[in-house]
């Protein structure tokens, strides 16, 4: 097994120890699996808490810090964190202004965050929730009822995080998060399968010369298998799948996201094709982000996320952020 690990059983704990050593601005509780910004709780500020299975880094722990999340709860690889983690995180960051749970639409995440919200409210913490379900590839999957939550999670956490850092109240931060999710659509393509430490091999069979069109971030099947395509052809098909679902009337944020094993040389080339398609379709682009942000371990491939923004959402997107995985303006 060609993986830079000790044993599969300690992968997450080892990564959290390394994260703590690299980022003293965070408080990393390795035993209880909670990552918190060191200055939390911040008086008068709504706290944002998210989490999910490990293997998608920098999502979510890498997005903890000023301008984004207050805390994150990493589960085992591709496995939801448990309610105790979420309640512990909420208690650590709640200043009395309330906590917003950002939940990707995967069944385990939804059930555990729902339970955690009830437990946190029993402890006197005001909790609001927003569900991220941006993937247009399939309606239901191995992991979800409804659309999967993917790249728009970054947009929700960044924009709602900026609103929270400005001191906006919980109901407004929640409304902003919902608006971002409703304005976002994503589509992904896998060029190879990912390898989980526990399995030690590919999680699904993808024959040589084929790609998975509409793949999920856990390797869930997409719409179909297709023969390998050029970057230009993939961009045409992926962007069109999004535009078939929504017609942007405002400028969009564009996320060209690597799945973990695709180098930036290829991602920037793919972005050039995505931008070409958007120009041809008359879609104005406000900002573009390219890189590995919502990954699937060592999967080769990419996803495209578009989010329509007005002046207020764009202002919040541009607001300063300082996290391990996203940083500008500070």
């Amino acid at each position: 097994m060609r993986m830079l690990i000790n044993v599969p059983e300690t992968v997450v704990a080892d990564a959290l120890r390394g994260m703590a050593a690299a980022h003293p601005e965070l408080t990393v509780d390795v035993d209880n699996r909670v990552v918190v910004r060191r200055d939390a709780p911040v008086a008068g500020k709504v706290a944002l808490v998210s989490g999910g299975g490990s293997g998608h880094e920098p999502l979510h722990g890498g997005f903890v810090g000023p301008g984004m999340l207050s805390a994150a709860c990493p589960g085992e690889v591709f496995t939801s964190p448990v309610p105790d983690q979420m309640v512990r995180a909420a208690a650590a960051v709640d200043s009395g202004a309330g906590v917003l749970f950002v939940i990707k639409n995967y069944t385990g995440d939804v059930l555990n965050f729902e339970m955690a919200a009830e437990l946190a409210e029993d402890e006197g913490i005001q909790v609001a929730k927003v569900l991220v379900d941006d993937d247009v590839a399939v309606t239901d999957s191995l992991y979800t009822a409804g659309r999967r939550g993917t790249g728009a999670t970054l947009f929700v956490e960044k924009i709602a995080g900026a609103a929270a850092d400005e001191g906006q109240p919980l109901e407004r931060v929640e409304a902003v998060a919902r608006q971002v999710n409703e304005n976002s659509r994503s589509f992904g393509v896998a060029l190879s399968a990912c390898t989980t430490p526990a399995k030690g091999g590919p999680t699904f069979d993808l024959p040589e010369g084929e790609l998975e069109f509409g793949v999920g971030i856990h390797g869930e099947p997409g719409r179909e298998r297709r023969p390998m395509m050029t970057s230009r052809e993939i961009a045409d098909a992926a962007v069109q799948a999004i535009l078939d679902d929504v017609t942007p009337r405002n400028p969009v944020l564009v996320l060209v996201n690597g799945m973990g094993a695709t180098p930036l040389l290829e991602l920037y080339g793919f972005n050039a094709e995505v931008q070409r398609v958007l120009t041809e379709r008359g879609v104005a682009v406000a900002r573009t982000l390219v890189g590995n942000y919502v990954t699937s371990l060592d999967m080769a491939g990419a996803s495209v996320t578009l989010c329509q923004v007005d002046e207020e959402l764009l202002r919040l997107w541009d607001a300063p952020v300082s996290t391990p995985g996203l940083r500008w303006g500070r």
Side-chain angles (χ1 to χ4, degrees), residues 79-157:
T79 302
S80 172
V82 298
D84 283 352
Q85 290 173 260
M86 302 161 184
V87 174
R88 189 181 297 271
V93 298
D94 179 41
S95 69
V99 175
L100 178 66
F101 283 167
V102 179
I103 311 165
K104 300 191 306 303
N105 189 31
Y106 294 96
T107 301
D109 290 2
V110 172
L111 292 174
N112 287 342
F113 269 105
E114 291 280 357
M115 186 179 300
E118 294 178 6
L119 294 171
E121 287 169 348
D122 288 344
E123 295 186 8
I125 301 171
Q126 184 183 7
V127 176
K129 305 180 294 292
V130 62
L131 187 69
V132 182
D133 58 354
D134 55 302
D135 184 11
V136 304
V138 294
T139 300
D140 298 300
S141 74
L142 299 175
Y143 290 76
T144 63
R147 290 180 169 180
R148 303 174 292 209
T150 58
T153 312
L154 182 152
F155 289 150
V156 171
E157 292 177 354

Side-chain angles (χ1 to χ4, degrees), residues 16 19 26-29 33-37 61 64 70-74 89:
L16 289 174
M19 186 178 201
L26 303 177
T27 299
V28 181
D29 185 338
R33 307 290 174 89
V34 176
V35 180
V36 179
R37 51 184 282 184
V64 174
S70 305
C73 310

Side-chain angles (χ1 to χ4, degrees), residues 285-321:
V285 175
R287 303 285 187 274
T288 301
L289 185 65
V290 179
N292 290 286
Y293 294 101
V294 184
T295 63
S296 184
L297 293 168
D298 61 343
M299 182 187 289
S303 63
V304 179
T305 304
L306 306 182
C307 176
Q308 295 186 70
V309 290
D310 55 21
E311 289 184 3
E312 175 66 3
L313 294 185
L314 185 59
R315 183 186 68 80
L316 292 170
W317 173 256
D318 286 340
V321 59

